[in-house]
Amino acid sequence: MIIDLPSTTTSQVNSKLVQVREQGGANTLGRVLTLVIVTDDGERTEDAIDAANDASREHPCRVIVVARGAKKAAARLDAQIRVGGDAGASEVIVLRLYGALADEGASCVIPLLLPDAPVVAWWPSEAPARPAEDPIGRLATRRITDSAAEKNPIKALEVRQRNYTAGDTDLAWTRLTLWRAVLAAALDLPPYERVSSATVTGEGDSPSTDLLAAWLASRLRVPVRRVRSTTGQGICAVALERRSGLVELERPDGKVGTLVQPGQPARRVALQRREIRDCLAEELRRLDPDEIYENTLKALPKIERTRSAPKPKVKPAQPKPEESPKPSARRAKAVAAARPGPAEKAEHPGTAPKSPPAKAAKAKASGKAKSGRAKKDDQVDSAAGTPS
Amino acid sequence: MWTNPLRDERDKRLPRIAGPCGLVIFGVTGDLSRKKLMPAIYDLANRGLLPPGFSLVGFARRDWADQDFGQVVYEAVRKHARTPFREAVWDRLAEGFRFVAGSFDDDDSFDRLAKTVSDLDEARGTSGNHAFYLSIPPGAFPVVTKQLARCGLAEPTSQDEWRRVVIEKPFGHDLASAKQLNDIVNDVFPEESVFRIDHYLGKETVQNLLALRFANQLFEPIWNSHYVDHVQITMAEDIGLGGRAGYYDGIGAARDVIQNHLLQLLALTAMEEPVSFSPSALRTEKIKVLEATRATGPFAETTARGQYAGGWQGGQKVPGLLQEEGFAKDSTTETYAAITLEVNTRRWAGVPFYLRTGKRLGRRVTEIAVVFKRAPHLPFDQTSTEELGQNALVVRVQPDEGVTLRFGSKVPGSTMEVRDVSMDFSYGHSFTESSPEAYERLILDVLLGEPSLFPVNKEVELSWEILEPVLKYWQTAGKPEDYPAGTWGPPSADQMLARTGRHWRRP
């Protein structure tokens, strides 16, 4: 059921909600949180509402959409209430704000918040620089942004890092969970060896790749390199260097990952890119500050950025024309054979070797020298969209 | 001691994925396997909780190739899985399907199974970690466990590996047979590798009982004989026993349900607070409370049993038990059983626990109702509280999971009149409809080696000790009473409570 309330006030919306509840039974009780979606009025508004409705099947919530309309118009509030089949397991209140009201969303949201329930704010596209100080962000215990949806994702991530406040979170971080889970599970098992260095490869403007690298840097406290791939989507590969060889997880096609460990057959794992609704449902599961995310943001400056690496024989991000059934079994053997000095063959240029022979040491030095400049280049490149 | 640097207890997003492993299902063609196990495995994979390289081996007396088996799993998953179907997830999972055709007494087929399993270690990297799910009648346990031991599947070959066995109820049909069964299984698998599935313990609501009791200040202070009048634990089913005669005739409702599910629910309801939520602490408390539990006599007055007769139920004409195919015309198997228990601890002295279960009852429902005493003094007129019952806290285990609190409230109007109302918490409203299914949780726990939700042999034996006196009495007490299908049991069940001025809740 969709009820339109053109040119209205929040108290009218509230009394309409009570009326709907009385007519239709107790369908608005038992909500666990209020989700406030802040967006510009447009096509993407509906996508965000759909994602929220899907997530509401796991977390029944009241969804308040603050859609900012034309600022030049006369100040006006148009509201729409959706319940039942049009709102998943939630109730959706869309507030379209025009004119001077467009910047005063918080005043329209406050009367509609559920009593005593947590408030989550979500900016599906452009987010304020300091979400915690935004009028709507201030109402929320948790503030969800999405760096990947902004115009310049890498820059957006830097802004997040500078302005982090407990309760902030970003969907670029949520998209990583599957990767992190597989990597953590790989280290749960013997051989229990220290990781000496790591390499993360991914698209130049993929904030998730940056976060994954930073997470490894903060947890492992070892040098982590961030290599740009020109072919794959999002995150393409991770390699962890240990004494017995490389632990590698790669996803060339954006769907299926392959986990390669020395002495073990290559294992394939479904690692599809996560949809917004899955990410949102995960975000709503935790309403406390995410310390791990905070530490990860802090570690962002620690990662070594390299421009696209010298072409290796087997490059993790290389697109494979046709996936053979056991793509990496041969490689696993090759890696195992090369165990004493994996760097010598320069099979994996991304990993900083522990005891470098002359050649590798040189490579490392030049990589370091570049990294300062590379950072700047990165931005220019990704803005211009030219692969180096 | 290795601590994984990538894990942090504050990192609550990271799920625990089982290490490399495989699952072998015996009796893979059965109903349980198709309706519950296979969909649960797919759902786990879809949630990203299964390890890369996970393998599923089916063993049954069918002339199938791996692909045929894959097709059967595919159909089961499409039909019964709870999470959306994803091609990529399915393809990865299906790569690990194997099928071994053979019968339990055939050495050759078990040798082939052993070969398949070691091939999987080689090709898929299951690393020698395997769980064996015995979805087969208990009569076949000795031969299967012996076969597993014979071909070296029961014992891990190195310290890093594990082998586990999963078994389903019935865990015996009396104390002696339960002990015998435990001996047979423990002969091959040490107790810490044995996982007894009681799927009720995998349900969210049952685990929530612990949260409700021990995470809140509100309930625990009144959770004792000062405030609680009695407790009713009900598991009712509306289906009959058509087609299950082979299993059910001679077993009956008490052995089928009370011995395992209801006594486990009682243990969780009545136990003291465990010192921690570690598996051993939890078991310690459950065992303590089961040790303190006795059936209250005289059984002629404190128990009831019945057998459903034909009639109309839910718009359909249904046959009585004796008319169901496969049951003896003079069968004394009970389809309804109710017993009275006492828990002899300081907390519960004098509080009766009523357990009941039955087939062809009013509707399908499982619930735990804690019924409180009346207020010691009511400052109202007699007439104004006439309709006020006892306060009750009801944990609805299934369906419509949630918690109901019943208390008195003033009826709107100019006179003071108090009547019972219900306050509902419903999982469907506050949380998810896609919360994991019981089997998902339990299978994952088996693969992770997390035994909290599985009863140990001691618990099984204690449950039989509690039930055995009643069963012995029933043996001498003739035929169970008839009750019409679709009602809430025989008259003796109502009398059993009416003697002490109580009555069954209508769930």
Side-chain angles (χ1 to χ4, degrees), chain A residues 30 32 57-58 60 142 173 180 184 187-189 192-193 219 256 265 267-268 272 282-283 286 288 290, chain B residues 2 4-8 11-14 20 52 86 92 95 122-125 429-433:
Chain A
V32 289
R57 299 200 186 280
E58 186 167 329
R142 201 150 167 93
W173 170 242
R180 297 197 300 128
L187 293 198
D188 274 339
L189 302 164
Y192 303 119
E193 291 172 341
R219 298 304 310 172
V256 180
R267 300 189 180 99
R268 301 220 279 168
Q272 67 280 5
E282 180 183 313
E283 280 306 329
R286 309 274 172 226
D288 51 336
D290 190 341
Chain B
W2 166 254
N4 185 342
L6 295 183
R7 292 214 184 266
D8 185 318
D11 197 347
K12 298 182 213 157
R13 290 168 195 267
L14 274 197
R86 290 203 184 109
R92 294 295 75 71
E95 284 170 5
E122 197 70 22
R124 308 258 313 154
H429 284 166
S430 297
F431 298 109
T432 154
E433 59 184 55

Side-chain angles (χ1 to χ4, degrees), chain A residues 31-32 91 144 166 205 216 247 250 281 295 302 362 364 387:
Chain A
R31 304 278 177 249
V32 289
E91 54 186 7
I144 306 171
D205 62 351
L216 291 172
V247 176
E250 42 184 76
N295 294 344
K302 285 191 199 144
K362 218 158 86 200
K364 192 180 178 187

Side-chain angles (χ1 to χ4, degrees), chain A residues 193-274:
Chain A
E193 291 172 341
R194 223 180 70 80
V195 176
S196 57
S197 72
T199 309
V200 181
T201 311
E203 256 182 310
D205 62 351
S206 151
S208 297
T209 311
D210 279 18
L211 283 171
L212 182 57
W215 176 63
L216 291 172
S218 87
R219 298 304 310 172
L220 301 173
R221 301 180 185 284
V222 297
V224 178
R225 281 186 161 205
R226 156 73 156 98
V227 179
R228 269 172 46 197
S229 145
T230 47
T231 49
Q233 298 174 297
I235 310 167
C236 300
V238 180
L240 305 178
E241 166 101 14
R242 297 194 293 184
R243 201 171 51 215
S244 60
L246 287 173
V247 176
E248 282 181 287
L249 178 62
E250 42 184 76
R251 181 185 69 174
D253 62 352
K255 288 192 195 92
V256 180
T258 307
L259 179 67
V260 183
Q261 285 160 288
Q264 292 185 28
R267 300 189 180 99
R268 301 220 279 168
V269 50
L271 211 59
Q272 67 280 5
R273 305 190 77 184
R274 302 179 85 192

Side-chain angles (χ1 to χ4, degrees), chain B residues 364-381:
Chain B
R364 171 173 168 262
V365 63
T366 303
E367 64 170 35
I368 303 164
V370 179
V371 182
F372 294 94
K373 293 182 170 164
R374 284 176 192 278
H377 170 71
L378 291 169
F380 304 100
D381 298 336

Side-chain angles (χ1 to χ4, degrees), chain B residues 38 53 104 117 122 128 151 171 211 213 244 263 269 275 306-307 312 316 359 368 396 461 472 493:
Chain B
M38 294 171 182
F104 298 150
V117 165
E122 197 70 22
C151 49
F171 311 122
R213 286 190 58 195
R244 292 188 63 203
L263 280 172
T269 310
V275 288
Q307 213 175 50
W312 288 89
Q316 278 179 321
K359 306 277 177 192
I368 303 164
R396 305 194 306 270
E461 286 166 19
K472 278 204 179 119

